[in-house]
């Protein structure tokens, strides 16, 4: 099974506040391991309020389905 993921800027700016990330998570038959998506934050000296971005899961395959929580 597999599922695609991608980041989308909110109030945070891609490549300025965080590094955009996208790819595919894949599980082999019988694999029940937790998969991790890493999004690197940019450390700068600018004092800012909290900012946001979204990670979206899409394109499930191999019998996988997405529930109602496909964005975080």
């Amino acid at each position: 099974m597999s599922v695609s993921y991608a980041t989308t800027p909110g109030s945070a700016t891609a490549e300025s506040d965080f590094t955009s990330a996208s790819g595919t998570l894949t599980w082999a038959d019988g694999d029940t391991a937790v998969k991790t998506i890493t999004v690197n934050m940019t450390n700068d000296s600018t004092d800012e309020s909290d900012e946001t971005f979204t990670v979206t899961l899409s394109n499930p395959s191999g019998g996988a389905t997405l529930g109602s929580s496909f964005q975080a």
Side-chain angles (χ1 to χ4, degrees):
M1 290 190 281
S2 66
V3 65
S4 299
Y5 67 89
T7 55
T8 305
S11 57
T13 304
E15 312 321 321
S16 191
D17 295 314
F18 70 98
T19 302
S20 297
S22 63
T24 303
L25 302 173
T26 303
W27 291 261
D29 286 344
D31 181 359
T32 60
V34 173
K35 304 299 181 190
T36 301
I37 298 168
T38 300
V39 179
N40 293 311
M41 302 297 119
T42 303
N43 189 14
D44 60 27
S45 59
T46 305
D47 187 20
E48 302 173 291
S49 59
D50 291 346
E51 296 177 306
T52 63
F53 64 90
T54 302
V55 177
T56 302
L57 301 178
S58 62
N59 302 318
S61 68
T65 59
L66 295 175
S68 60
S69 296
F70 61 93
Q71 289 186 324

